[in-house]
Amino acid sequence: MLKWGSEKPPVKATWVWDTTALMKDKNEILSFAEDQGVNVIYLHVDRKARDFESYRAFIEEAHGLGIEVEALGGDPAWGLTEYQQDIESFIGWIKDYQLAAGERAAFDGIHVDIEPYLLKEWEQDRDDIVRQWMENVEYLVKKVKQGASLRVSADLPFWIHKIPARDSESVGSWMIEQLDGVVLMNYRNFAIGENGIIANALPMIKEGTRAGKPVIIGLEMAPSDEGEHISFFEKGTSSMHRQMQLSHIVMRWHTGYQGFAIHQYKSWREAAKS
C-alpha cells in the first residue's frame, strides 16, 4: 500500500456498483477499504429493493470504521428531462431508507453518475442535451435538499470546463456552483505531461478552489478498450499509487483538490491480489 508520509489527500474513495450480494460481500468490501485507506464509498442502490437491512448493516459497520457512504445512482438517460421521474424515484428511495435506518446507518450523501454525452442525442444536438442535463441537476439538488441535509455530488468528465453554458463561464463551473462536490473522471494512467492526470485535472481543480468546493480525482482500474493511456488495469496498483503520489505533490497546493476516487472496487480488489 502507498505510504504517503505526513501529508496525504483528505479523501480516498471507491465505487461499489455490484450490490446484489452486499450481505455476503460486506466483510470483504469493508476489510479491503480499511486496508487501502478508503474513507468514502459510493454504494449503488437498487431502487427495487424494499428490504433495507443489507444496506443498514453495511453502512453502520462502515461508519464504525470511519468510512462515509454515499448513495450511488445514475444513468445517461438521467440527462434528459423526460427521465426526471427516475431521479425522483431514486431520491424517494433514499429518503425512505433514511427514515427507516436511523442516524447511525444513514447515508452521508448522494452521488450521481449521469453521463448524457454517451447518448446518441449528444452528437445530434449537444446544446439541447446540455440544457436538459443542467435542468435535471438543478432538479436533483432541489429535491434532495427539501427536508434533508444530504450532500450531493456527481461524476463529471475532466473536459466539462470546455463545454460552454448560457448563463455561466462553462458547464464545469456551473456544475461546481450547483453541487456540493464533484468527482472528475480523469481516467489517465500517467501523472505528468500533456493529457496526463495533472494537466487534465487542473482546470476543474482551479474552479473548485475558486468556488470553495471539493474536487476529487477519479482514476480507472477497470479494463478499458478506449486506449492504453486510460486504465491502470494492465499497469497494476503499484503504478497507480506512484502516479497518485506524483499528482498529489502538484495538486495539494490547490484547496479545491480533495483526493482520489478509484473506479471501481471490484477491479481494484482483483488488481491488488496480483
Side-chain angles (χ1 to χ4, degrees):
M1 200 175 89
L2 178 65
K3 303 296 182 188
W4 288 93
S6 58
E7 273 205 40
K8 60 182 182 178
V11 172
K12 196 174 183 186
T14 194
W15 290 258
V16 176
W17 284 103
D18 181 9
T19 51
T20 53
L22 192 59
M23 189 67 85
K24 179 170 68 73
D25 295 343
K26 171 171 67 76
N27 293 339
E28 188 178 356
I29 295 168
L30 291 174
S31 174
F32 179 83
E34 189 178 23
D35 287 347
Q36 297 295 329
V38 167
N39 54 14
V40 179
I41 290 174
Y42 310 126
L43 183 68
H44 187 252
V45 301
D46 177 7
R47 284 178 286 145
K48 298 185 188 76
R50 300 321 301 173
D51 181 5
F52 295 146
E53 178 53 32
S54 58
Y55 292 94
R56 191 202 61 74
F58 182 93
I59 296 170
E60 192 166 312
E61 198 165 320
H63 285 163
L65 297 170
I67 299 169
E68 295 187 345
V69 183
E70 298 189 5
L72 171 63
D75 187 281
W78 287 18
L80 305 175
T81 50
E82 66 186 278
Y83 285 88
Q84 282 185 1
Q85 70 272 18
D86 279 11
I87 296 171
E88 187 165 8
S89 167
F90 171 65
I91 296 165
W93 189 98
I94 293 160
K95 289 191 173 181
D96 288 347
Y97 171 84
Q98 297 290 82
L99 285 170
E103 196 174 328
R104 287 173 62 192
F107 282 106
D108 299 287
I110 287 179
H111 189 82
V112 293
D113 182 276
I114 297 177
E115 304 188 57
Y117 43 87
L118 300 177
L119 300 170
K120 67 180 188 302
E121 291 92 338
W122 181 265
E123 298 301 327
Q124 295 163 358
D125 191 347
R126 190 187 73 177
D127 289 349
D128 185 55
I129 301 304
V130 165
R131 178 191 61 76
Q132 292 186 61
W133 185 14
M134 291 168 72
E135 193 174 318
N136 279 11
V137 168
E138 219 165 16
Y139 176 83
L140 167 77
V141 172
K142 185 180 176 184
K143 283 283 183 185
V144 172
K145 300 293 184 182
Q146 283 172 353
S149 58
L150 283 167
R151 63 176 181 252
V152 186
S153 62
D155 298 331
L156 298 174
F158 71 83
W159 43 261
I160 196 166
H161 67 284
K162 297 178 180 177
I163 305 293
R166 189 175 299 165
D167 300 321
S168 187
E169 287 178 28
S170 72
V171 177
S173 60
W174 184 90
M175 290 283 183
I176 279 181
E177 291 290 347
Q178 297 297 311
L179 297 157
D180 297 312
V182 304
V183 175
L184 212 55
M185 292 181 287
N186 194 19
Y187 296 162
R188 296 294 180 266
N189 57 19
F190 59 98
I192 295 166
E194 187 181 353
N195 200 30
I197 295 166
I198 296 166
N200 287 348
L202 276 175
M204 284 293 282
I205 293 285
K206 288 174 180 175
E207 288 288 356
T209 300
R210 181 189 58 76
K213 300 285 184 72
V215 178
I216 296 163
I217 307 304
L219 301 176
E220 183 67 277
M221 185 50 91
S224 171
D225 58 5
E226 294 179 41
E228 293 180 358
H229 58 292
I230 299 290
S231 176
F232 286 98
F233 179 71
E234 300 286 349
K235 292 177 175 283
T237 56
S238 59
S239 174
M240 181 180 74
H241 288 146
R242 281 195 300 274
Q243 301 308 312
M244 285 167 69
Q245 194 161 38
L246 285 169
S247 302
H248 173 74
I249 287 165
V250 174
M251 294 191 293
R252 63 184 174 172
W253 305 107
H254 300 271
T255 56
Y257 157 74
Q258 287 293 297
F260 296 95
I262 314 304
H263 187 265
Q264 35 97 356
Y265 156 71
K266 196 170 267 188
S267 302
W268 187 9
R269 186 195 66 197
E270 289 305 313
K273 287 177 181 175
S274 57

